[in-house]
Amino acid sequence: MTGASSGIGASTAVRLATAGAHVVAAARRTDRLTSLVERITHTGGRGLAVTADLTQEDQAGTAVARAVDEFGRLDIVVANAGIMLLGPLEGADSAEWRRMIELNTLGVMYTAHAAIPHLLTAASQGPRQVADLVLVSSTAGRQVRNGSGAYNASKHAVTAFGEALRMELTRRHLRTAIVEPGAVDTELPTHNRPEIQERMRARYATMRRLHADDVADTIAFIVTRPDHVAVNEVLVRPTDQQE
Ligand code: NDP
């Protein structure tokens, strides 16, 4: 589980641990990951905190290797770590583009690249006879909004990558799913510049956003289907979200 130190990733880690999975929680904030694993352990589950900056290919590889070393197999990977920096494209700070592409796109690709051999082993030799790679994209990976262009680009790439992986690997029982949440109440908007955050607050004022647990439920549904069922794409928006 990448991006497990907050929001959707933390909720999904707990949800999957409750369902019996041994969970490896990866992100940069070690203290958050450690408390999460303590929470999982306290309720009878098993977990491991792995500090990793997933924009760094070697750290993505190490996170995957530590999961396999600790638990012996890799059945499910949820590539969720992401950042959303909004604003017009004209005159944008291209460092923000780089941060999003390096994490939302390349981070997901590095994680998948390192995990695929282990997922294929689990699919052919593990008790489930199937493995799951869940890529957390966004409604922004499917629908472009004015003022969201670079984030849109980083997430559209995830959709293309996920669909290509699906075609390549589904016959070997590696299921690929793209999850596309609408607005979820998490830390995600807080990394934006103040004026952008103000705009987002105004947008969210008329909307009951999803909770991170709502997306965790969706991911848990995907990875608990019988082995002949592949849920490949789920778009889940708040009822109040028009666009
Ligand atoms: P959060 O900000 O709560 O979570 C983002 C996670 O990504 C954190 O755990 C953060 O941990 C991790 N992360 C950030 N940078 C790095 C890095 N360089 N290396 C490793 N981990 C990193 O937001 P959400 O839970 O909302 O976001 C999760 C995913 O859901 C993202 O991909 C986002 O794009 C997507 N999404 C969110 C929506 C929303 O409205 N909230 C809507 C649609 C999609 P740390 O800082 O400790 O590294």
Side-chain angles (χ1 to χ4, degrees):
M1 180 81 235
T2 75
S5 58
S6 61
I8 294 168
S11 288
T12 306
V14 170
R15 181 74 179 72
L16 296 182
T18 307
H22 299 164
V23 176
V24 176
R28 293 168 306 174
R29 287 170 293 178
T30 310
D31 52 339
R32 297 276 202 109
L33 298 173
T34 306
S35 338
L36 179 78
V37 167
E38 278 168 9
R39 193 173 148 202
I40 287 172
T41 312
H42 191 67
T43 51
R46 284 189 66 192
L48 174 73
V50 175
T51 308
D53 178 346
L54 296 161
T55 64
Q56 304 302 308
E57 186 171 6
D58 59 333
Q59 295 189 37
T62 303
V64 167
R66 289 208 45 208
V68 177
D69 286 349
E70 181 77 10
F71 296 121
R73 211 175 58 231
L74 193 60
D75 291 301
I76 300 168
V77 168
V78 183
N80 160 77
I83 188 165
M84 175 182 72
L85 303 169
L86 303 183
L89 295 173
E90 184 187 4
D93 177 355
S94 58
E96 293 192 344
W97 298 356
R98 230 174 343 268
R99 283 177 69 193
M100 287 191 284
I101 297 292
E102 284 178 355
L103 180 63
N104 301 359
T105 310
L106 282 173
V108 165
M109 294 168 81
Y110 297 148
T111 303
H113 183 260
I116 284 167
H118 303 289
L119 290 169
L120 288 171
T121 301
S124 63
Q125 295 169 21
R128 295 197 316 147
Q129 290 294 294
V130 75
D132 289 288
L133 177 59
V134 179
L135 310 182
V136 179
S137 176
S138 168
T139 47
R142 174 191 249 263
Q143 181 186 3
V144 173
R145 292 184 73 236
N146 193 0
S148 175
Y151 182 62
N152 286 136
S154 73
K155 291 294 190 179
H156 271 66
V158 171
T159 307
F161 181 68
E163 175 58 7
L165 280 181
R166 186 196 68 75
M167 288 194 278
E168 208 173 301
L169 300 170
T170 193
R171 297 289 291 273
R172 292 159 75 191
H173 296 186
L174 174 47
R175 302 187 291 203
T176 303
I178 315 276
V179 177
E180 298 161 328
V184 189
D185 187 4
T186 68
E187 294 176 9
L188 196 71
T190 64
H191 308 291
N192 282 280
R193 285 172 277 127
E195 67 274 19
I196 302 282
Q197 288 195 48
E198 192 48 52
R199 247 177 269 165
M200 293 172 82
R201 264 193 294 277
R203 177 163 185 251
Y204 297 150
T206 58
M207 188 194 294
R208 289 165 301 160
R209 279 180 287 170
L210 297 176
H211 305 301
D213 282 348
D214 299 322
V215 184
D217 278 347
T218 305
I219 294 171
F221 176 82
I222 290 168
V223 303
T224 52
R225 291 312 83 208
D227 65 357
H228 68 291
V229 180
V231 179
N232 295 127
E233 188 175 9
V234 178
L235 176 67
V236 50
R237 290 191 184 98
T239 307
D240 295 338
Q241 183 173 345
Q242 200 169 38
E243 55 178 342

